[in-house]
Amino acid sequence: MQFMQALKDRWSSSNSLVCVGLDPEPAKFPRNFAGDEEGVFAFCRDIADATAQYACAFKPQIAHFAALGAEGALTRLIAHLHAAHPGVPVILDAKRGDIGSTAEQYAREAFDRYAADAVTANPYLGRDSVQPFLDRADRGVVILCRTSNKGAGDLQDLVIDGRPLYQHVAEKVANEWNTHGNCALVVGATWPEQLREVRAIIGDMPILVPGVGAQGGDAEAVVRNAATKDGMGLLVSSSRAILYASSGDDYAEAAARAARELRDTINAARG
Amino acid sequence: MQFMQALKDRWSSSNSLVCVGLDPEPAKFPRNFAGDEEGVFAFCRDIADATAQYACAFKPQIAHFAALGAEGALTRLIAHLHAAHPGVPVILDAKRGDIGSTAEQYAREAFDRYAADAVTANPYLGRDSVQPFLDRADRGVVILCRTSNKGAGDLQDLVIDGRPLYQHVAEKVANEWNTHGNCALVVGATWPEQLREVRAIIGDMPILVPGVGAQGGDAEAVVRNAATKDGMGLLVSSSRAILYASSGDDYAEAAARAARELRDTINAARG
């Protein structure tokens, strides 16, 4: 799979900008699922199968597996996603960042071990720390720009030459790091103004937008401020609001409904 | 173990500022070690046992285990370090950074699953992203400031109010984030001037200094520029130059020699 082309194809074929986040938290699972590797895999699989038709991408978050020692569940889950939902890109949310020789190991972890189509990465260490990811031209590299959390501005808003750090990151990625055309950026739904500013800098580059749902971001404002002219360019990611829409036996139907409603809200705003 | 006190005790009892990095790369192993979980564990264990007397800390780098699917080897290794070398702190080099709810999962990964005494963390997402680590007051949080790689300056040298970003990070950590006294910073040995400037900002806070050995940093310059007045305050980390000092049957003796020589070079500079 060539990530960028697959993403564009999937935006069209699914008519959806919804990215389904897979963040397993056993304490929130319906009663039939144990917190062991089998339970983690089965719950995430059920949610993915129920929501796939409304999804332009899946985004498993690796910390939720690592905290449980459930790497095996993550491996099985991504293999299942590729087999059952071919054409839906899988973004491993890992936010890795290290010096080049170590970043190569992280690239192997994400792309070879887990067979992810894309990975999230942290830009603080500079371009050479991201290069091993960038060099995998068939895979996507989704770089943190303006994150969804309240403290995002502590560093990201510091002003350099009249513009905040996150805008410098957007500019560097768009103008210098994206030589293979496989970059995207993370900008939180909780920051509609910043979404608009980043879109103005980066042209049609995709933006992964976490923070709708549990974190309070407004999906309509996201579309209004950051969709590309053709109404694409976004992966609006929701995790908890889909995964834990119901803790009853209707967990899969409730997840599908939450994903569909988010898709419809977004599509109404796309006009 | 209370990390900060344990580190201070160990600096004194070992008379060493050397931090032994454990970055397994099977292609570089001596011929008797396979690249499987057993080989990875056994090689790292042998290096640790051979170098412990010259070490103020151990620093396993998690990407090197994750790329191999060798989480089991990492678990066994840290358990062995605690059992065989009590009083030598173990820093898990993971450079994690994510929004608060996910950072909590990463804190569980490092401190509960792997029983590390400290973890490295990335500051780009701001204080609330580091808070779940900071809140574990008995563990250490080693925050990236000026990293050892060539591209470190891409973001870290951008100038805000007359001073580069990495100095703002040093100031925030020292004056705002370190409420439990469990913070340290990463500054590369490859940047002696920046080491001096960071030391001037942070008082006696420990600095983890990667980049001697394979990356070319000068241990004497590190001590001259960044030791505290009592000749402490540093974890001078070396990985490849110790681990792969010999690929022959004398790998353990060669590693011990490399660690001892680094200790002696550092101690000569401490005067």
Side-chain angles (χ1 to χ4, degrees):
Chain A
M1 181 187 285
Q2 212 282 344
F3 172 74
M4 276 296 166
Q5 191 56 53
L7 176 61
K8 287 173 190 166
D9 293 346
R10 181 69 193 170
W11 275 330
S12 297
S13 66
S14 66
N15 189 33
S16 177
L17 305 183
V18 173
C19 172
V20 174
L22 298 166
D23 301 12
E25 295 178 67
K28 297 180 180 173
F29 284 0
R31 57 184 175 174
N32 288 344
F33 294 92
D36 61 5
E37 204 154 291
E38 180 61 32
V40 167
F41 167 71
F43 176 71
C44 291
R45 176 201 61 202
D46 285 2
I47 296 290
D49 291 351
T51 58
Q53 63 180 307
Y54 310 117
C56 72
F58 292 113
K59 182 175 74 64
Q61 206 296 316
I62 197 169
H64 291 80
F65 296 84
L68 301 167
E71 281 80 17
L74 180 58
T75 302
R76 286 174 67 194
L77 176 63
I78 296 180
H80 172 80
L81 296 176
H82 288 318
H85 310 290
V88 186
V90 178
I91 302 164
L92 185 65
D93 194 0
K95 300 189 176 66
R96 300 307 195 216
D98 212 308
I99 64 168
S101 58
T102 302
E104 281 175 26
Q105 304 292 331
Y106 281 127
R108 289 180 56 197
E109 178 193 33
F111 298 144
D112 300 330
R113 177 182 183 189
Y114 290 118
D117 301 302
V119 69
T120 54
N122 187 309
Y124 186 72
L125 284 87
R127 179 181 179 153
D128 61 352
S129 74
V130 186
Q131 196 65 43
F133 300 109
L134 300 175
D135 286 344
R136 300 288 288 266
D138 60 329
R139 310 297 173 107
V141 190
V142 187
I143 297 170
L144 300 183
C145 180
R146 186 60 156 75
T147 53
S148 60
N149 57 311
K150 286 200 171 65
D154 286 352
L155 268 66
Q156 298 162 26
D157 279 357
L158 294 177
V159 173
I160 301 124
D161 291 340
R163 283 177 312 126
L165 176 59
Y166 75 88
Q167 293 188 20
H168 289 265
V169 170
E171 203 161 74
K172 277 178 193 292
V173 173
N175 299 340
E176 299 171 30
W177 300 7
N178 193 28
T179 53
H180 295 304
N182 59 342
C183 290
L185 291 177
V186 173
V187 182
T190 40
W191 312 110
E193 277 307 310
Q194 289 84 344
L195 271 163
R196 188 201 305 267
E197 288 159 356
V198 170
R199 176 55 75 203
I201 292 169
I202 65 172
D204 285 349
M205 184 183 293
I207 307 178
L208 173 66
V209 186
V212 299
Q215 294 181 61
D218 171 355
E220 291 180 16
V222 169
V223 173
R224 215 167 42 236
N225 285 300
T228 53
K229 282 187 191 123
D230 58 358
M232 304 284 193
L234 298 172
L235 301 106
V236 182
S237 184
S238 178
S239 303
R240 286 169 277 181
I242 292 175
L243 290 166
Y244 309 111
S246 165
S247 60
D249 292 341
D250 63 339
Y251 65 95
E253 295 84 345
R257 195 182 317 122
R260 194 185 63 230
E261 288 174 1
L262 178 56
R263 181 201 64 176
D264 292 346
T265 300
I266 291 168
N267 284 353
R270 290 162 81 192
Chain B
M1 179 187 285
Q2 212 283 344
F3 172 74
M4 277 296 165
Q5 190 56 52
L7 176 61
K8 287 173 190 166
D9 292 348
R10 181 70 193 170
W11 274 331
S12 296
S13 65
S14 67
N15 190 32
S16 176
L17 304 183
V18 173
C19 173
V20 174
L22 298 167
D23 302 12
E25 295 178 66
K28 298 180 181 172
F29 284 0
R31 59 185 173 173
N32 288 343
F33 293 91
D36 60 4
E37 203 154 292
E38 180 59 34
V40 167
F41 166 72
F43 177 70
C44 291
R45 176 202 59 203
D46 284 3
I47 297 291
D49 291 351
T51 58
Q53 63 181 306
Y54 311 116
C56 71
F58 292 114
K59 182 175 72 65
Q61 205 297 315
I62 196 168
H64 291 79
F65 296 85
L68 301 166
E71 281 79 17
L74 180 57
T75 302
R76 286 174 66 193
L77 176 62
I78 296 181
H80 172 80
L81 297 175
H82 288 318
H85 311 290
V88 186
V90 177
I91 301 164
L92 184 65
D93 194 359
K95 301 188 176 67
R96 300 307 195 216
D98 211 308
I99 65 168
S101 57
T102 302
E104 281 175 27
Q105 305 292 331
Y106 281 127
R108 289 180 57 196
E109 179 193 32
F111 298 143
D112 300 329
R113 178 182 183 190
Y114 290 117
D117 300 302
V119 69
T120 55
N122 187 309
Y124 186 72
L125 283 89
R127 179 181 178 155
D128 61 351
S129 75
V130 185
Q131 197 64 44
F133 301 108
L134 299 176
D135 285 343
R136 301 287 288 266
D138 60 328
R139 311 298 173 106
V141 190
V142 187
I143 298 169
L144 300 183
C145 179
R146 187 60 156 73
T147 54
S148 60
N149 57 311
K150 285 201 173 63
D154 286 351
L155 267 67
Q156 297 162 27
D157 279 358
L158 294 177
V159 173
I160 300 125
D161 291 339
R163 285 177 311 127
L165 176 60
Y166 75 87
Q167 292 188 21
H168 289 265
V169 170
E171 203 161 75
K172 279 178 192 290
V173 173
N175 300 339
E176 299 170 31
W177 300 8
N178 193 28
T179 54
H180 294 303
N182 59 341
C183 291
L185 291 176
V186 174
V187 182
T190 41
W191 312 110
E193 278 306 312
Q194 289 83 343
L195 271 164
R196 187 202 305 269
E197 287 157 356
V198 170
R199 176 56 74 203
I201 292 169
I202 64 171
D204 285 350
M205 185 182 292
I207 306 178
L208 173 67
V209 187
V212 298
Q215 295 182 59
D218 171 356
E220 291 180 17
V222 169
V223 172
R224 215 166 42 237
N225 285 299
T228 52
K229 282 184 192 126
D230 58 357
M232 304 284 193
L234 297 172
L235 300 107
V236 182
S237 184
S238 178
S239 303
R240 285 170 278 182
I242 292 174
L243 289 166
Y244 309 112
S246 165
S247 60
D249 293 341
D250 63 339
Y251 65 95
E253 294 85 346
R257 195 181 316 120
R260 193 185 63 230
E261 288 174 1
L262 178 57
R263 182 201 63 174
D264 292 346
T265 301
I266 291 168
N267 284 352
R270 289 162 82 192

